[in-house]
Amino acid sequence: MNETVEMSKLRGEISILKEELQRIKIVAEQEKKRADFNYEFSTNLQKKLAEVIEEREQRVEKDREQSASKAPAHCKEKTGIDAILAEREKTHGSFETGANCTQALEDTFYGFLGKHCFTAVMQEGLHMIFHKLGRIAAGCATHKDHWDDIAGYATLVFRSLEGE
């Protein structure tokens, strides 16, 4: 009789273990599906980013070629607005290159989350940060004002969010 009781207990334990093993298999399958999805998403994201970078590099190179060909030969010393633009180009880089970089950053960013996810203040803050990043990429990355401006725009958005 004791053997029958023991066998019954063992069968019950085996049944419980089989159920637990089945649950573990289901969880493992779900995790594998999630990992496969994340891998595919990450791969697609990397491809899209590589495409955006390639397009940006092509636009930057085209802008550089156009900028070099546009410089008037008769201008030895710049005055007025030409002097201001020449001075700004030292720290900000080519306007065309900076514009292309800024737009590439915005296009990429909003390609993942549409503008509808952000308030007007957030959108403007992001735009100005992208603008400053465009200047960093096109011009002088060590120009402190670019970095101060980014911190300032981030702070303004932060304060706006605190006020909500």
Side-chain angles (χ1 to χ4, degrees):
M1 195 65 131
N2 283 341
E3 287 181 25
T4 307
V5 171
E6 280 297 314
M7 289 298 282
S8 180
K9 285 182 181 178
L10 288 174
R11 284 188 187 110
E13 289 176 8
I14 289 172
S15 178
I16 291 170
L17 289 173
K18 283 182 178 178
E19 289 174 10
E20 185 62 26
L21 181 60
Q22 188 60 31
R23 280 193 290 268
I24 291 170
K25 285 181 180 179
I26 291 169
V27 169
E29 288 173 8
Q30 291 171 341
E31 290 301 316
K32 183 184 180 317
K33 286 178 184 176
R34 186 178 311 159
D36 289 345
F37 172 80
N38 287 338
Y39 176 78
E40 185 177 332
F41 181 78
S42 174
T43 301
N44 290 339
L45 191 60
Q46 288 174 344
K47 286 178 185 176
K48 182 170 176 123
L49 184 58
E51 290 171 4
V52 169
I53 289 170
E54 177 63 28
E55 289 172 12
R56 179 190 168 272
E57 287 174 351
Q58 289 173 358
R59 281 186 286 190
V60 167
E61 185 58 35
K62 184 179 175 184
D63 288 346
R64 284 185 183 143
E65 290 170 3
Q66 288 176 348
S67 293
S69 66
K70 290 180 185 176
H74 66 277
C75 291
K76 300 238 187 223
E77 188 175 317
K78 298 182 189 268
T79 58
I81 192 67
D82 289 331
I84 293 170
L85 293 174
E87 186 63 29
R88 294 299 185 276
E89 193 166 356
K90 291 177 186 175
T91 55
H92 300 7
S94 150
F95 176 75
E96 291 87 359
T97 302
N100 282 328
C101 182
T102 299
Q103 294 307 306
L105 287 167
E106 282 193 14
D107 293 346
T108 303
F109 184 83
Y110 289 122
F112 296 106
L113 284 173
K115 285 187 174 186
H116 67 279
C117 295
F118 303 95
T119 66
V121 170
M122 293 166 76
Q123 287 179 35
E124 186 60 20
L126 286 166
H127 170 75
M128 294 308 298
I129 290 169
F130 294 143
H131 180 73
K132 298 304 176 176
L133 290 171
R135 285 184 172 177
I136 290 168
C140 179
T142 59
H143 187 62
K144 186 179 171 294
D145 286 353
H146 298 326
W147 300 101
D148 286 341
D149 290 345
I150 289 171
Y153 289 116
T155 300
L156 290 171
V157 172
F158 178 81
R159 287 180 181 164
S160 169
L161 293 173
E162 278 188 319
E164 289 181 0

